């Protein structure tokens, strides 16, 4: 498909939204994990720099490795829906809980939940838009990168507006997994989108 054909496709715009939300949901936590751990949970900078991002990355990698091994036996749409719900719950833990151990648990849950969102969206797009070609994947990657920038930026702006309360920024960033959940529900229900 040409770029013009993709631009006229409702499916393309839905997948672009999913990619942007996947990138934003992932980076909103990973880019702020050490600061959140240090300031929001009251642990030392060393502990915050190591445990927050490290737990997030380890859980995200474990999620992708697990799906790579067992994914052929699992419904990808259902798995992604559950991952979106888990991501929302992880954000809730980060926003509402001030106990350090639960904050680290929230970072880990966030990593676990976002692991499949980016590659899963690519897989769903490939299955639904078989003629998409290179342009499809290039534009979806661009949408994902926009999300990777937009997520942490929103967290920073909202946190600054609320006297550097990082929890407020993370609460605002919950919009990304929520939007992704709605988009996945639209896909699952077989929304009539042009290809």
């Amino acid at each position: 498909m040409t770029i013009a054909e993709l631009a006229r496709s409702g499916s393309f715009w839905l997948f672009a939204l999913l990619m942007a939300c996947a990138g934003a949901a992932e980076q909103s936590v990973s880019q702020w994990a050490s600061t959140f751990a240090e300031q929001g949970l009251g642990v030392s900078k060393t502990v915050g720099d190591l445990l927050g991002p490290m737990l997030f990355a380890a859980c995200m990698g474990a999620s992708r490795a697990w799906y790579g091994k067992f994914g052929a036996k699992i419904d990808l749409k259902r798995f992604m829906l559950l991952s979106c719900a888990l991501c929302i719950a992880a954000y809730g833990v980060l926003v509402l809980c001030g106990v350090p151990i639960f904050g680290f648990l929230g970072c880990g849950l966030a990593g676990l939940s976002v692991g499949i969102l980016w590659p899963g969206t690519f897989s769903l797009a490939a299955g639904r838009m078989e003629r998409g070609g290179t342009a499809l994947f290039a534009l979806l990657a661009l949408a994902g990168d926009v999300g990777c920038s937009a997520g942490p930026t929103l967290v920073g702006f909202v946190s600054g507006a609320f006297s550097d309360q990082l929890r407020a920024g993370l609460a605002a960033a919950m919009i990304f997994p929520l939007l992704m959940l709605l988009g996945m529900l639209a896909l699952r229900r077989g929304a009539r989108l042009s290809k």
Side-chain angles (χ1 to χ4, degrees):
M1 298 174 72
T2 65
I3 291 177
E5 288 175 319
L6 288 170
R8 292 191 297 268
S9 166
S11 291
F12 166 73
W13 289 109
L14 178 56
F15 285 119
L17 173 68
L18 292 177
M19 282 298 292
C21 290
E26 177 182 323
Q27 293 301 313
S28 292
V29 175
S30 76
Q31 292 297 314
W32 289 98
S34 62
T35 303
F36 174 78
E38 183 184 350
Q39 295 179 356
L41 302 175
V43 298
S44 70
K45 179 167 177 52
T46 302
V47 172
D49 285 349
L50 289 175
L51 289 185
M54 184 171 60
L55 183 59
F56 176 90
C59 289
M60 184 173 74
S63 171
R64 290 181 177 174
W66 183 85
Y67 188 81
K69 184 166 180 65
F70 300 107
K73 302 174 182 177
I74 297 170
D75 180 340
L76 179 58
K77 288 180 186 174
R78 185 174 184 184
F79 187 63
M80 288 178 68
L81 273 170
L82 293 173
S83 294
C84 290
L86 181 61
C87 189
I88 293 166
Y91 270 73
V93 170
L94 290 169
V95 169
L96 299 174
C97 188
V99 179
I101 189 66
F102 289 112
F104 292 131
L105 176 63
C107 286
L109 284 176
L112 193 67
S113 66
V114 300
I116 193 60
L117 300 184
W118 183 295
T121 301
F122 271 126
S123 294
L124 291 176
R128 184 160 184 148
M129 304 183 72
E130 295 177 357
R131 293 180 48 246
T134 305
L136 170 65
F137 296 107
L139 291 173
L140 289 182
L142 176 61
D145 289 342
V146 168
C148 286
S149 177
T153 300
L154 177 66
V155 173
F157 277 136
V158 174
S159 298
F162 285 86
S163 304
D164 294 329
Q165 292 295 318
L166 193 52
R167 291 176 197 277
L170 289 170
M174 285 180 77
I175 189 66
F176 299 117
L178 282 168
L179 282 174
M180 184 144 197
L181 181 65
L182 292 175
M184 289 303 305
L185 287 172
L187 275 179
R188 192 171 187 197
R189 290 174 184 166
R192 294 184 178 181
L193 299 168
S194 60
K195 293 187 179 182

